[in-house]
Amino acid sequence: MFSTGTTYFLILVIVYILLVWGALIPFRAGLLYNGTVYCMAIGGYVAGFLSKNFDLPFIVCVLAAILVGLILGFIPALGFARTNGIVTAISSMALIFILESVIRNLDFLGGSTGMTGIHKENHLLLWAVILLIIFGVFLYRLNNSRIGRAWEAIQTDPQMAQSLGVNTFWMTVAALTLSSVFSATAGAVYAFNMRVLYPGTFSFTFLLNIMTMLFVGGRYTQWGAIISCPLLWSISVFMPTSIQKLSNYIYAVILILILMLRPEGIVTRRMTNKVKNFFTAKLSRRRQGAKA
Amino acid sequence: MKKVLALILALALCLGMLAGCQGETQPSENPDPGTETSQPSTPSGGEGDEAGEVAVDEWVIPVLSARTGAVSYVGEPAIWAAEYAAQVINEQGGIRGVPVRVEAYDTEFSGEVGAQIVSGLVDDSLFIVGCMAAPVSLAISTIVADAKVPNVGSYSYQEIRDENAPYLSGYMSDSEMGDLAAATEWIKENGYKKIVLFYTPSDTSQAATKKLFDEQLTEATGAEVVGTVEVETGTVDCGPAAVQALGYDADAYFVCMRADEAGKVINELRSRGVDDPATISATFAGFGSTLLDICGDNAEGIYIWNKLDPNYDSDEWRTLVEAYTEEFGEGPSAPPVTGYYNTLIAFKQCVEELGITGDPEKLQEERDAIANWFYNSPEIDGIQGTFSWVNGAMMTDPLMFRVENGEYVAVD
């Protein structure tokens, strides 16, 4: 249906969107959590290992990745939920380096030379789209649920949230664990797309890309990622070859301009509310017309 | 609530349909080049024999390199070398009378960027040159092998070439084998018994060297690796690494790192009591003016090996050096320069010997023929003598040098 290049592009964009959503959830609860790449690596290596060694189907590998990601995301979350601000940011970043170092020393995961031989999934794009829809709907419902509002309250003022009866500790743990699930899923899709894994991939640079996509797209809504991920990813890869060397500069200029002109990102809460109101009004007009 | 139920129902239906039409997960093809690899036939006997007319106006060759990022200092010269080779070929009348054009791509130092670029090229390309960094080549290897496109890149270890044979070949000789061969000569020459190895664990090739030394150095030389010291890329202070190495009470030090870190380590060793420079040997990744700039007098007398000889004596090489110096202000020392140049020259020979036409209708047949030709090639006249590929590995000998008066001087 699509060319090889387009298929790769779409799958990688979906991976990035899932990761940005993974970074967005803790942000909603007021935490700058940098463990996204850590959980992505866990998901990727679990899925890759199961596919390579046990020949398991894609969806089983994804479910296993989610389960392991959930557990290994939940355990550090118990600690991170007691921290805030810069402490969370820096200590969660350390997870990336720790895991990278661990993987390098585990021969059964390929060590420093990386893991090859992950099986090919013929319908990966379709699976990726389905996962994106499932996670997108889930996140949308979550954002508009009591949990989502509790996270928003924590983000605004944790003390106030606590005085309103929100259990800030467990709400934060829930946010970080869910973030791990999103990231582990992204990691599994990534593993099947690349079919090779290398410890250096899951690095600080990858985290910077995700955070840039989050801040450029809009850090208060899930819709920003759908614009920023394809936009920023295409800069690196679809530039004319003559100016491709300048892609990093262009990337930086976009980031600076967005932060200066639209600090909330491309898609703001106001914008999403407007769109929502527009459709709600249209729908109610249609209903009224039908009744009349 | 109804909407949610409807949505769940729709998703369940969607998943059900998928389960029905889902193709089986395919194992990746891992043909053994020696046994099960399909050996596609060559399209014709040779040029002028049964070779068809060339069906293209120009041979467009995508060339991938890390023009930006951590290894751009060798990435840009590699692109230059490919473009220079194309210019040389065109001046000689092109390939089968048709000019060649290099299309340069920057993979940065990123596997994802490399994979994305290559995935956009594999549908139409006859042959791809590059990329150059191990993480990137690892990422693109499955894409080119799946698409059955011959690719000469930085595939410097046999396992990855075997897994994807015959589509992947290396543009330079295997680094870890070169490290072992060079270290063996150096150790035997000087009679060392206890060696310390410095390496960067995050570098695939250097990690492979460490593994090879652990497994084979003692058998090859009788010397023992008494300690390994890890130095990550970008380390500013290499003093602690030098102190750790000195603690092993070794006879000699093999520095398997890129120029920046290698230079700092050598400085630290020399300033902390390693008086005999012959006890220090470095790998090809450190070769070049950067190391000499960092070390100054501390580099005098050390050993270092490389995959190219900057002082090679031939007209072709001298002309290349002149052009290169005009572009970069100094002579070439990075192996990708000869690697990319030689690959283009080999492509010319391959197309002419096999009578490749570039006809889109024969694309896969010709790709297979080119891949097989490169995987086990005949002898090719390169910029620094003849070479060939055996099972995808470029076969060239490591060249040993010592630093004398701020210059690299070849050691017999």
Side-chain angles (χ1 to χ4, degrees), chain A residues 5 12 21 28 56 65 75-76 112 141 143 150 166-167 175 197-198 214-215 243 246 275 280 282-284 289:
Chain A
L12 276 172
W21 284 349
R28 292 267 299 153
L56 295 178
I75 295 166
S112 286
R141 298 295 303 164
N143 275 334
V166 174
N167 188 329
L197 292 172
Y198 177 76
L214 174 66
F215 289 122
I243 55 166
L246 303 174
V275 173
T280 315
K282 206 173 175 182
L283 203 68
S284 62

Side-chain angles (χ1 to χ4, degrees), chain A residues 42-43 46-47 59-73 131 135 177 180-182 184-186 188:
Chain A
I42 290 169
V46 168
I59 198 66
V60 178
C61 295
V62 171
L63 290 173
I66 289 174
L67 184 67
V68 178
L70 188 143
I71 295 165
L72 294 182
L131 287 169
F135 279 87
T177 311
S180 309
V181 169
F182 274 70
T185 311

Side-chain angles (χ1 to χ4, degrees), chain B residues 173-347:
Chain B
S173 59
D174 288 1
S175 307
E176 60 272 23
M177 296 308 290
D179 279 331
L180 183 66
T184 302
E185 287 306 310
W186 166 65
I187 289 166
K188 282 183 176 172
E189 174 80 19
N190 297 289
Y192 300 130
K193 292 289 172 207
K194 292 190 283 181
I195 308 297
V196 166
L197 173 70
F198 289 86
Y199 80 109
T200 305
S202 56
D203 185 298
T204 315
S205 169
Q206 291 167 20
T209 295
K210 191 242 172 203
K211 199 175 166 193
L212 198 68
F213 273 33
D214 286 344
E215 292 168 0
Q216 296 185 23
L217 191 72
T218 306
E219 194 185 323
T221 63
E224 184 192 353
V225 179
V226 290
T228 51
V229 181
E230 297 181 357
V231 181
E232 270 304 340
T233 304
T235 302
V236 177
D237 180 8
C238 291
V243 170
Q244 185 189 343
L246 293 169
Y248 290 116
D249 196 22
D251 298 333
Y253 307 89
F254 191 84
V255 184
C256 185
M257 288 180 302
R258 291 196 309 208
D260 278 350
E261 292 77 30
K264 289 177 203 163
V265 163
I266 292 167
N267 276 344
E268 293 291 345
L269 287 173
R270 297 301 305 272
S271 65
R272 289 169 194 269
V274 179
D275 296 327
D276 181 3
T279 59
I280 300 173
S281 181
T283 190
F284 76 98
F287 198 100
S289 57
T290 307
L291 185 103
L292 299 179
D293 290 344
I294 294 171
C295 292
D297 289 345
N298 284 334
E300 284 298 312
I302 67 160
Y303 284 87
I304 187 163
W305 77 273
N306 199 13
K307 298 178 181 182
L308 72 84
D309 181 357
N311 306 312
Y312 189 78
D313 188 23
S314 81
D315 290 341
E316 264 182 315
W317 177 250
R318 273 191 292 272
T319 314
L320 183 146
V321 171
E322 271 173 30
Y324 186 97
T325 309
E326 203 174 297
E327 182 74 22
F328 295 100
E330 59 179 3
S333 59
V337 172
T338 48
Y340 275 51
Y341 180 95
N342 283 340
T343 303
L344 268 283
I345 298 296
F347 178 73

Side-chain angles (χ1 to χ4, degrees), chain B residues 51-277:
Chain B
E53 290 286 311
V54 175
V56 289
D57 296 333
E58 57 180 0
W59 300 99
V60 180
I61 304 180
V63 177
L64 281 67
S65 181
R67 304 181 82 174
T68 52
V71 292
S72 59
Y73 66 98
V74 284
E76 196 61 41
I79 291 286
W80 177 89
E83 285 170 345
Y84 178 80
Q87 189 189 321
V88 169
I89 291 168
N90 290 339
E91 280 168 8
Q92 292 169 355
I95 303 176
R96 298 193 68 201
V98 172
V100 58
R101 180 165 62 86
V102 161
E103 219 167 51
Y105 292 91
D106 179 18
T107 61
E108 302 171 15
F109 193 56
S110 157
E112 297 82 50
V113 175
Q116 182 65 71
I117 289 172
V118 165
S119 66
L121 295 171
V122 290
D123 290 343
D124 305 314
S125 299
L126 183 65
F127 178 68
I128 296 174
V129 179
C131 57
M132 69 176 347
V136 190
S137 56
L138 202 62
I140 72 167
S141 61
T142 51
I143 304 170
V144 287
D146 278 352
K148 299 186 183 232
V149 181
N151 176 215
V152 179
S154 57
Y155 302 109
S156 66
Y157 43 104
Q158 196 58 44
E159 196 181 319
I160 195 167
R161 293 192 297 258
D162 285 347
E163 275 183 22
N164 301 288
Y167 298 99
L168 308 185
S169 299
Y171 67 73
M172 57 184 185
S173 59
D174 288 1
S175 307
E176 60 272 23
M177 296 308 290
D179 279 331
L180 183 66
T184 302
E185 287 306 310
W186 166 65
I187 289 166
K188 282 183 176 172
E189 174 80 19
N190 297 289
Y192 300 130
K193 292 289 172 207
K194 292 190 283 181
I195 308 297
V196 166
L197 173 70
F198 289 86
Y199 80 109
T200 305
S202 56
D203 185 298
T204 315
S205 169
Q206 291 167 20
T209 295
K210 191 242 172 203
K211 199 175 166 193
L212 198 68
F213 273 33
D214 286 344
E215 292 168 0
Q216 296 185 23
L217 191 72
T218 306
E219 194 185 323
T221 63
E224 184 192 353
V225 179
V226 290
T228 51
V229 181
E230 297 181 357
V231 181
E232 270 304 340
T233 304
T235 302
V236 177
D237 180 8
C238 291
V243 170
Q244 185 189 343
L246 293 169
Y248 290 116
D249 196 22
D251 298 333
Y253 307 89
F254 191 84
V255 184
C256 185
M257 288 180 302
R258 291 196 309 208
D260 278 350
E261 292 77 30
K264 289 177 203 163
V265 163
I266 292 167
N267 276 344
E268 293 291 345
L269 287 173
R270 297 301 305 272
S271 65
R272 289 169 194 269
V274 179
D275 296 327
D276 181 3

Side-chain angles (χ1 to χ4, degrees), chain B residues 13-34:
Chain B
L13 277 171
C14 200
L15 283 171
M17 275 165 58
L18 255 171
C21 65
Q22 176 67 33
E24 280 183 23
T25 305
Q26 299 292 320
S28 55
E29 290 169 21
N30 296 341
D32 179 345

